[in-house]
Structures are given as C-alpha cells and as structure tokens.
Amino acid sequence: MDPFSKKLFKELEQMQQQTGRMLRNMTIARMVPMDTGGWEPPVDIYEAEDEIYVYVDIAGVDRQNLQVTVDEQRLLIKGKRQLPAQASIACIHQLEIELGNFQRTVVLPSMVDVENTSSSYADGILVVRLPKRVKKGKVNIEIQPGE
C-alpha cells in the first residue's frame, strides 16, 4: 500500500474513533438533565458465561462518596464528585468535568445473584462483578388437597 493510502486509512480510523466518542456523549440520557440536577457517568457492560461486569467511569470520586445498590435486575450507582477548591483562581476558561451529585441506573441483561455481587474501585473506574443467578432445574410441586 502506498504512503498516501496508509495515511488516508489512518486518518479515517481516527475520525471513526472520534465520532464514536462524540456519539456516546450525545446519548439522550446524558443530554437531558436529570430531575435531581445531577449527571450520569458513562458505563460499559460486559457479559461472560457466568457473570456480568459493569465498568463505571467516575474518575476523581472519593470511594467514601459512592453507593452501589443491586437487585436481581438493576444496578444503581450514586455518588458525588468534587474537585479541590483553588483559592487563587481568577478566571475560568473551560469547564468540561461534571461535578456534584450523580446517579446511574443500569438494567442488567439477566438476573443476578445479589448475595455474591462484589465491586472494586481503582484508577477512576468502578468495576461491579455480578454473578448470574443459577437457574434451577425442574421442581416438583406437591399438590395439597383442597378444602
């Protein structure tokens, strides 16, 4: 492949990545403010054979300011992000980091075992591991005599 074609393909690939980021940031949920006045962190969901992994991008959030709640079908992540105050700031040129309270509810792709759910938080990424609920086989139900 000639150098011009290589450069063209590389630029197209970069445009595709940038377009993907832009479209992810333009989801309706992120564009419309929540009733609580908060923001929603981006989430990735992966499914393995036996469990579901949820990754939440919450860089800068203190672990003490996080709350994770799960039921068999939904995961709720709440928290608050605050940046340290700088007394010497005289002018703001750009604001892109979302601050304050946030909340994100994720509908899970399958039922999960709530009792064995675990999470970890490192390098600004919250990882929630949700084992899938083991489906029970057939169950015989005893028929009681009616009254």
Side-chain angles (χ1 to χ4, degrees):
M1 185 180 298
D2 64 277
F4 177 75
S5 296
K6 284 183 182 179
K7 182 173 171 119
L8 180 63
F9 280 121
K10 185 176 180 178
E11 287 184 20
L12 286 172
E13 186 177 274
Q14 289 174 342
M15 285 175 46
Q16 181 182 11
Q17 289 173 349
Q18 290 172 348
T19 303
R21 282 187 207 108
M22 181 181 69
L23 290 174
R24 282 191 299 275
N25 288 329
M26 290 180 61
T27 60
I28 295 296
R30 290 183 58 98
M31 290 171 41
V32 177
M34 292 174 24
D35 293 336
T36 61
W39 56 280
E40 289 189 331
V43 170
D44 288 345
I45 302 171
Y46 301 93
E47 185 172 356
E49 187 175 329
D50 296 331
E51 53 195 356
I52 297 167
Y53 298 93
V54 178
Y55 290 76
V56 188
D57 182 0
I58 49 175
V61 174
D62 186 343
R63 190 171 54 88
Q64 304 338 325
N65 288 335
L66 284 175
Q67 178 185 356
V68 179
T69 308
V70 66
D71 64 27
E72 292 179 333
Q73 298 174 336
R74 284 180 302 280
L75 175 67
L76 173 64
I77 301 112
K78 289 182 178 182
K80 185 174 187 175
R81 176 163 54 198
Q82 296 174 304
L83 294 180
Q86 302 292 330
S88 62
I89 293 177
C91 181
I92 298 172
H93 292 279
Q94 188 166 331
L95 288 174
E96 293 184 7
I97 299 173
E98 301 195 61
L99 300 174
N101 294 321
F102 65 86
Q103 179 174 319
R104 183 71 189 259
T105 301
V106 176
V107 177
L108 301 169
S110 62
M111 301 287 265
V112 296
D113 179 2
V114 175
E115 299 297 323
N116 293 310
T117 297
S118 64
S119 67
S120 62
Y121 180 52
D123 300 325
I125 302 291
L126 172 68
V127 179
V128 183
R129 187 185 67 74
L130 304 134
K132 291 182 181 178
R133 193 169 80 186
V134 178
K135 293 181 181 174
K136 307 261 192 280
K138 291 182 180 178
V139 177
N140 289 325
I141 300 172
E142 184 179 340
I143 302 172
Q144 301 291 327
E147 292 181 27

